[in-house]
Amino acid sequence: MMLAELQATCSSLGYQEKNSYVKEPDCTETVKDLIRFLKREDDTCDIRRQLGHAQIVQNDLVHILKGYADDSALFDTVIRLLVNLTQPAYLCFDNLIPEDKTLRNYYLEIESHLLSYKLAFADESLFAVLTKKLGDLLQLDFEQRSDDDSLVIERVLILVRNILHVPPDVSSEKRTDDDATIHDQVLWALHTSGMEDLLLYVASSDSERQFCMHCLEVISLMFREQTPEQLASAGGQRSMTEKQKDEQELLLAMEKEKSRKQANMMKYSTRHSRFGGTYVCQKIKSISDENLIYHRSLGDACNISHDMGKNPTKKPKNRKPIKEIELTRRSTLSIRLFLKEFCVQFLENCYNPLMYAVKDNILHNRSQENDETYYLWALRFFMEFNRHYKFKLALVGETMSLPTFHYMQTELMRYHEMILGEKKEAIVWSKRLHLALRAYRELLLTLHCMDKSKDEQICRSSKVMKNNIFYMMEYRDIFLVLLRKFNESKNSRSLLKDLIETCHIYIKMLEQFAKGGSCMVQKKKRTANKKKNKKASKKDNSGPSKEELEELWDGLSDTLSEIIQGKENIPESTCPFDVTSDIEDTQQRVNAMIRIQDDLRGNKPADALALFRAAREVWPEENQFGEVDIPPEDEFMALREVFFAEIQRPQAEQEDNAFMEDEGNEPDEVVEEELEDAMPSYSEQEFNMQEFIVSFASPLVLKPYALLFSEFKINSVFTNHCIIRLFHRLAVDLHIPGVLFQAAIFRTFQKILSYRNSEIYKELYKFAIYVTKKFFESAKDNEKIFMELMFWKSKRDAIEVSEGYGSYKENHESQKQSKWNEEQIEELKTLFEQLKDVDGELDAADYILAHVIDNTRTRRQIIRQLVQQDLIENAAALKRKGPTRPTRLWREEEELELKNLFDQFKDTDDVVANIINNMKTKRSKPKVMEKIMALELVEDKKELYKKRKRKNGGQNRNETEGFVDDQDDESAMASESENEAENEPEVDSSQSEDDSVTPNHQTEDTGSSFKNLLDKLKNQGLEDQIKWIQNNLRRTADELEEDDDDEPIPIVPLTEDHENAMENKNFKTFLKTLGIAPPANEQERFWRIPAKLKADKLRKLVDCIDDPNSSDAPVIQGQGHMKTKSKRNNARFEMLKNLAKQKKDNQATKDNNKRFEENPDNSNSEDDEVPLVKKTPIVTKRLRKTDTSSDSDVAGPSNEPKEKSKPSKRAKLDSESSSNMSSRPSSDEEGLGLHLPKPTGKTNLDTSSSSSSDDELHISIEVSNKANKKSARLESSSSEDELLPKASIGNAADNRDSFADTSKADQEMKSDSDDQLLPMRKAVKRPTIASDSE
């Protein structure tokens, strides 16, 4: 019964007068009151149901919209009310269809009201009003449009969405195909009003992107009952394929009808039912041993079953298969033509921009929850329409891409995981999974159509996309995952049908792609987890014994006493009580006492004392943690009592402690290896189609196939073909028909055999005959096969059922592991006894491999057999101390093969690569080159390098006769190391005499330098990364001991910290020092452990990391360059110091000359030494070194005292310039550019090195007194800036010329002081450049 207030409100809206509607003066306020009523309705939706009974939508609101559209306030308010009244029924019940009987009736009542609302909206004049209002608002510019206008646009779109969303009532409408339903009438009203054009405008406009989701919802509901195939063929002539399909469907219907009539005729006999008779069924036993007696007519004799009259077992409600009815119908021709034209315009103008905008909103969370389902539907529908109509890839280019394939795959997996997790809403998630699967299927079909295109560009794009989706393992496994987890109580049969058809399409495309050539795919590596040795007895978790506690206390008491006395600091930030925790106060007190005891027993007395005092402040009442003013002696004794106390710990904490104790006893490298094993690792391999099909030979995969196969009568011809094709691949192609020996499949075969004359089931009939024949052939040898029909079988079970039990292990596993007969075992034992003690580089397994008769044996097989015969414990027992061993010996036939291949390919560009590709036994490139050199097939190793054509016109200085020397790469690497060294902080010039370099000796210890590098890395926080490299080296050494491999092993960073470390320059230097090779080219990404580093060398490197001061410590690359730079900086400093002293002495030259003439005997005194014999250090910049790696060094006693002073900024710049220039060696000795004449005066050439760490070359030149006086006068008249050459800082191109060409500053110095420098040039001989050995 309707409420009085609600009835009075509805009466205040207005009234109908003849053909027009008259509103009441307070109509707007009345509509607002109705909105308030709806806000206050209860869970039963009583207001909504009463308004539906009153029919205010049909009688009032629709007429108000049509008659008073100009009243903006009233129009907006009525739209708001209509949006509320027309919302879907399940939204009124918290997005769920109610299970309660009463609420379910209310739900059905609201749906009936919605259907009547939809019929009222099938009015062309109403949609004309909505279209006009919507068009006027969309014409407004962005600046002119207000927020209220945007809300009206959104509400109109939502209202149209709600009306189209109302589900049809098939039972009440009773419409056939080619007839107009209520939904079709609404679509026609929408079409005639012109609203479809507005929808196309909103979908294609960038300025209306905020309404793109509403627009997509309206479009998806417009096509809710249509199929793309029907719309694409609307209005055109039917093709031959369509005619054949219709004929097959008609023929199938006729056969079904004919068989039904024959069955009915057999049921009825001409005799009366009382004289039907009694029959005895032969070979069918009853409960007794006699034949079954049949009391029915002969017409039902073929349907005899012992189940007749039995009550079938009922399945629980949660296990019943779900029934999903997909409503698809063929509308009238006018509706289909209008929808077809809409699809064409939408594809040409709107599809790409709309799908881009929608996906952008989805990815950036600007849409509502689960709005991606509309995106999936639109992708599937319009791409299928494009494929059936006129296939144009450009129209769907936005969604035909690799990111779309990846998005579909991730959505499929997400929906699948939600089905497994959200059990209450599993059916809803299953429907979303079905949408994603159909979209993925359409992507595959469109990709297949691209292969058939005549455009070569499209074909190439298709090949690239297929190469990616077939390469990734996730795309291949998605179908297996969905099939294995199929559950008919959560997934519908239509989902299973689409899944099997999509899987068939994918397998067919993959098979065609693999036939085109070698197909490389990604595969997950199977890494065997290292097993831990578990002790038989469980560990005692009761804690340490009393004696152990006494020993711990003795070592702890002294430190604790000093801390209590205040001799050491105590941590301040300690809180024993957690205010936010839900744990009770008493339990937190116990936990604090446990923490104190753990800190004491863990040798953390400072933390224990701080926590003990903090707990005393928090809980002072019971003196459990001591009194407030407790003396130090009592506090010490209180902590001792806590240390020895037996505190009852919670059970969970005991388990955690036991677990941490077990974990702590294991080495760090073992734990790290387990973490690395948990990370998935992938490798590449050539695709094998048979291995992929074998994965379908699983009971979990075949059960869904058999379930859909049982419905072969209602399946389409294509669906039955997909099922039979997979069965054929397993039974015929892979020769394992035993996987189909199952009762459920045979029951379906039994039904198919009754349709032997049907053309539709001809394929099914032939295959059923084949499988049953195989079954009875196997039954001759295996009598138990009839019992095996009750069980699903895997590949192994199927082979054993057909070929005999135990045959799989004997025949198929022998392919992977060859069998050893008695003679071979005796031969192995004899060889092992003879060769186990032979000395040499090889171990016993290598010698056995070289002398064994069977050439097919591998080292791994020999070691495995030795372990099985108890001759050795494991592979490590074969390890020898000494030099590393080669992987395997070269046999005589292998050497002959190598010689023939070398003669064949010696004139090719890449000799070694061609030889390796054609060798029967693959070996690494270094091994092949080494063997070629040993056979003396070439004289120089450079002849084996790959020939490359240089792109630029310049010739490489290390290039000889077209071959590129590998030393170029080494020099480039060394140059890179130099540049990195130059970027390091400068070394302090003040060093002790122990750091100086003596001739032909490197006094600096390499181990110490390696230790400094490790300390620098640890200071940068890279200690964990060093341990990571150390563990990799240790694990690689273990693997090489078990199976020596010739391939380099990559070091793959698994964490972000590892990746950051690989970019650190010092860390790269650390890797190069260990001998780890950087990426060789653009195709490599990771550093690699070279194959030449064997297990012994790797273990030495591991030990050197632990003990960097050992004699085996590696030499740091680029170390000499760093030191040279420091020395050159000190050389520049010494030069400046000498020049400054020289300038000071020149001022006193005039005063000293007179005293020299008067007292010539004192000319050798210390004060007068500078004017007579002047030692002028030559600027290093002028004497460029010919080889920075030379080991020659000239040193002599220094005649000048060493003065320490801080170098100026100008000196630093000059030293950097000289260091940069000296780091680029010249090609020969003439590159120095010093063209010196023969000496004319008395000269004394003295090259000495300083006693400090600064070993830079000093050339002292003695000249005559006259020359010294003249040069002194010149120097006194020149300023310091004129004497100092300016630092030339430039790129490599600027410094490429010979050092005979001087800089501008040198030119100025030459012009200003030519008289001074000329005698020096005449007196200097060509010196020997002393360089620091690297």
Side-chain angles (χ1 to χ4, degrees), residues 393-404:
L393 184 62
L395 299 181
V396 292
E398 175 59 35
T399 54
M400 197 59 201
S401 60
L402 286 175
T404 307

Side-chain angles (χ1 to χ4, degrees), residues 319-353:
R319 295 183 183 177
K320 287 184 178 181
I322 62 176
K323 297 180 180 180
E324 185 180 18
I325 301 175
E326 187 176 359
L327 295 176
T328 56
R329 57 182 302 276
R330 187 170 63 248
S331 301
T332 59
L333 182 60
S334 58
I335 298 295
R336 282 184 285 145
L337 291 175
F338 135 65
L339 293 177
K340 176 183 177 181
E341 185 63 25
F342 181 86
C343 287
V344 173
Q345 295 183 10
F346 182 82
L347 282 172
E348 293 178 353
N349 304 314
C350 310
Y351 180 81
N352 288 330

Side-chain angles (χ1 to χ4, degrees), residues 183-196:
H183 189 76
D184 292 340
Q185 296 174 22
V186 175
L187 290 179
W188 187 254
L190 185 146
H191 169 60
T192 55
S193 65
M195 184 170 284
E196 57 174 337

Side-chain angles (χ1 to χ4, degrees), residues 147-326:
D147 294 340
D148 294 338
D149 295 336
S150 300
L151 286 175
V152 173
I153 295 173
E154 185 176 4
R155 286 168 184 160
V156 171
L157 293 175
I158 293 175
L159 177 61
V160 177
R161 188 275 312 268
N162 291 345
I163 295 301
L164 294 173
H165 188 275
V166 176
D169 189 358
V170 181
S171 59
S172 61
E173 291 190 45
K174 298 179 181 179
R175 303 280 187 174
T176 60
D177 287 345
D178 295 325
D179 196 1
T181 61
I182 297 177
H183 189 76
D184 292 340
Q185 296 174 22
V186 175
L187 290 179
W188 187 254
L190 185 146
H191 169 60
T192 55
S193 65
M195 184 170 284
E196 57 174 337
D197 298 330
L198 297 180
L199 294 175
L200 292 173
Y201 167 74
V202 174
S204 61
S205 177
D206 293 337
S207 59
E208 308 298 341
R209 277 194 176 184
Q210 55 182 330
F211 308 118
C212 63
M213 294 305 303
H214 300 300
C215 183
L216 186 59
E217 290 182 54
V218 173
I219 294 174
S220 64
L221 293 171
M222 288 171 60
F223 297 93
R224 66 182 307 169
E225 297 178 355
Q226 309 295 329
T227 59
E229 187 176 0
Q230 289 181 354
L231 293 180
S233 60
Q237 294 182 355
R238 294 191 304 165
S239 62
M240 293 299 297
T241 306
E242 294 175 350
K243 290 181 181 180
Q244 291 177 1
K245 182 179 179 182
D246 294 341
E247 289 177 359
Q248 289 180 357
E249 292 178 357
L250 182 60
L251 183 61
L252 179 60
M254 291 174 62
E255 289 181 357
K256 289 181 179 179
E257 183 66 20
K258 185 178 179 179
S259 61
R260 187 178 61 83
K261 288 182 179 181
Q262 289 179 356
N264 291 334
M265 288 177 64
M266 291 295 293
K267 287 182 180 180
Y268 304 106
S269 177
T270 56
R271 301 180 64 185
H272 195 272
S273 59
R274 293 181 182 179
F275 304 99
T278 302
Y279 306 94
V280 177
C281 300
Q282 296 291 338
K283 298 182 181 180
I284 298 179
K285 300 297 183 182
S286 62
I287 298 176
S288 63
D289 293 336
E290 302 295 332
N291 292 331
L292 178 65
I293 300 175
Y294 190 66
H295 298 280
R296 296 178 182 272
S297 61
L298 290 176
D300 297 331
C302 61
N303 296 325
I304 295 175
S305 175
H306 292 288
D307 294 333
M308 295 175 61
K310 295 180 180 179
N311 294 326
T313 56
K314 293 184 177 180
K315 284 188 176 182
K317 192 175 181 180
N318 58 346
R319 295 183 183 177
K320 287 184 178 181
I322 62 176
K323 297 180 180 180
E324 185 180 18
I325 301 175
E326 187 176 359

Side-chain angles (χ1 to χ4, degrees), residues 573-584:
S573 58
T574 303
C575 182
F577 182 74
D578 189 1
V579 183
T580 61
S581 177
D582 297 333
I583 303 176
E584 297 181 358

Side-chain angles (χ1 to χ4, degrees), residues 69 183 193 293 663 941 947 953 966 1013 1022 1065 1073:
H183 189 76
S193 65
I293 300 175
E663 293 291 329
K941 192 176 182 180
K947 299 178 182 178
D966 288 347
L1013 178 61
L1022 300 177
K1065 294 183 179 180
T1073 305

